[in-house]
Amino acid sequence: MEKFLRFNDKIQEAAGGISALLSVLLVLLVSIDVIARYLFNSGSVAAQELEWHIFALIFILAAGYTLKHDEHVKIDVLYSRFSPKKQALVNILGVIFLLIPFCLFVIWFSIDFFLVSFEINEASSDPGGLPARYILKLFIPIGFILLLMQGISFLHASLIEYKQNSGDK
């Protein structure tokens, strides 16, 4: 398990780093696109599609990284009042009954989604759009595999936390 945890940490940090670089690239691309459209009356369908493709990649690749660093958006009105043992229990139950099944569901169905797209060599339906849309679709199962891996790591940490606080009431 320790090997998996170390490997997962490296993978999540790499995915987070890639997402950060893609964020900078996205800001530059959007800036260039806006300047081209409003100053030079020139736009590109491919550039606009690339913007949302990059945004999707940022979101997909950063999900596991965000969970690793406990930065997901959440409303913890009740959770913050729980003891560490109850928080760990909520985390354990959430991972087992929500996160893992959802990740497995998305991975299972997104693989077919990618394969069909790949088989038909799916491209943008817009004139001047991007080719090879299946590349973007490939990142759906990849991103959810990363999230699943981080969920397993989070489950492991929560189990340890629960055991350590089992003397609390």
Side-chain angles (χ1 to χ4, degrees):
M1 187 63 163
E2 290 303 317
K3 278 185 179 181
F4 169 78
L5 294 172
R6 282 193 304 275
F7 174 73
N8 180 62
D9 281 349
K10 288 179 185 176
I11 292 291
Q12 300 301 340
E13 291 300 322
I18 291 168
S19 293
L21 290 173
L22 287 172
S23 296
V24 172
L25 178 64
L26 182 59
V27 168
L28 292 172
L29 183 61
V30 169
S31 298
I32 291 168
D33 187 32
V34 168
I35 290 168
R37 267 190 285 139
Y38 290 105
L39 291 180
F40 303 109
N41 237 4
S42 171
S44 165
V45 171
Q48 289 178 343
E49 285 186 5
L50 186 58
E51 291 167 12
W52 70 262
H53 283 216
I54 292 172
F55 178 76
L57 289 174
I58 291 166
F59 180 81
I60 288 170
L61 291 175
Y65 175 83
T66 305
L67 178 59
K68 179 180 187 285
H69 292 281
D70 195 27
E71 295 294 332
H72 278 253
V73 175
K74 59 186 172 193
I75 301 172
D76 60 354
V77 174
L78 297 175
Y79 182 84
S80 63
R81 296 178 187 193
F82 291 166
S83 69
K85 181 182 177 182
K86 285 183 183 176
Q87 287 180 349
L89 184 59
V90 167
N91 293 339
I92 291 165
L93 295 174
V95 169
I96 291 172
F97 293 110
L98 299 173
L99 183 66
I100 290 175
F102 181 71
C103 286
L104 292 173
F105 176 83
V106 173
I107 291 165
W108 178 261
F109 286 100
S110 66
I111 290 171
D112 239 10
F113 188 58
F114 157 72
L115 289 173
V116 169
S117 180
F118 180 77
E119 287 172 3
I120 65 170
N121 196 23
E122 184 180 9
S124 173
S125 59
D126 293 322
L130 295 175
R133 185 164 283 172
Y134 56 85
I135 294 171
L136 180 64
K137 290 182 178 183
L138 173 63
F139 279 90
I140 298 170
I142 290 172
F144 276 89
I145 288 168
L146 291 172
L147 184 58
L148 176 63
M149 288 170 59
Q150 186 55 43
I152 292 167
S153 181
F154 185 62
L155 176 62
H156 180 263
S158 296
L159 287 167
I160 290 171
E161 182 75 22
Y162 184 80
K163 287 178 185 176
Q164 288 175 344
N165 291 296
S166 60
D168 294 345
K169 293 192 178 191

